């Protein structure tokens, strides 16, 4: 990307929640690969937003917070739509027990942020992440 400390994520799936899962997977894999071990814990988090773009930003911000502040590498194991957002179920791995593959992201940029249905049966998203 234009700035050497930017990461561009692109993801797609048949559903909105599937696209969010793919975006989270791309973000996590840009940082580290969890070792093949049992997760340290499993947690659920409901994330609400007023638009699809805001939902994408909020989901990615949650992942960045868990990696940076809590030392947890969240791997989505389930996602379901709720009235005003999405409920994610994460398997949390310790970052220290993972193989690092890149720098820890710092924030989601609000420009070039998009989550939308391209056509029936295909959702896609794009996000810029500061690293």
């Amino acid at each position: 990307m234009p700035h050497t400390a930017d990461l561009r994520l692109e993801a797609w799936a048949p559903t909105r929640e599937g696209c969010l899962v793919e975006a989270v997977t791309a973000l996590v894999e840009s940082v580290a690969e969890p070792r093949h071990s049992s997760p340290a814990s499993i947690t659920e988090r409901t994330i609400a937003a007023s638009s699809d773009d805001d939902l994408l930003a909020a989901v990615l911000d949650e992942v960045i917070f868990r990696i940076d502040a809590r030392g947890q590498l969240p791997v989505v194991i389930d996602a379901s739509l709720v009235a005003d957002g999405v409920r994610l179920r994460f398997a949390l791995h310790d970052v220290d027990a993972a193989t690092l593959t890149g720098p820890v992201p710092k924030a989601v940029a609000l420009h070039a942020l998009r989550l939308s249905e391209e056509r029936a049966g295909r959702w896609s998203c794009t996000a810029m992440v500061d690293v």
Side-chain angles (χ1 to χ4, degrees):
M1 293 316 307
H3 187 275
T4 57
D6 287 345
L7 170 67
R8 179 182 169 107
L9 299 176
E10 293 184 13
W12 52 92
T15 63
R16 178 187 290 120
E17 63 273 26
C19 195
L20 291 167
V21 168
E22 292 298 325
V24 168
T25 301
L27 180 59
V28 169
E29 288 179 354
S30 77
V31 176
E33 293 178 9
R35 297 217 171 99
H36 298 287
S37 61
S38 298
S41 63
I42 295 178
T43 189
E44 284 189 9
R45 176 84 163 94
T46 299
I47 300 174
S50 59
S51 72
D52 288 335
D53 293 349
D54 290 344
L55 183 60
L56 175 60
V59 166
L60 294 177
D61 279 338
E62 174 70 17
V63 172
I64 291 169
F65 170 75
R66 289 193 177 272
I67 295 170
D68 191 37
R70 294 197 173 167
Q72 300 170 329
L73 198 61
V75 178
V76 177
I77 54 177
D78 187 49
S80 57
L81 293 179
V82 294
D84 58 349
V86 66
R87 179 177 297 116
L88 298 170
R89 189 165 182 241
F90 292 114
L92 301 172
H93 296 264
D94 291 327
V95 170
D96 294 338
T99 303
L100 298 179
T101 58
V104 174
K106 299 299 176 200
V108 177
L110 297 180
H111 68 280
L113 183 67
R114 181 187 56 76
L115 171 62
S116 61
E117 187 174 23
E118 291 179 357
R119 62 182 187 271
R122 182 172 166 107
W123 282 77
S124 68
C125 65
T126 303
M128 295 288 294
V129 178
D130 298 328
V131 294

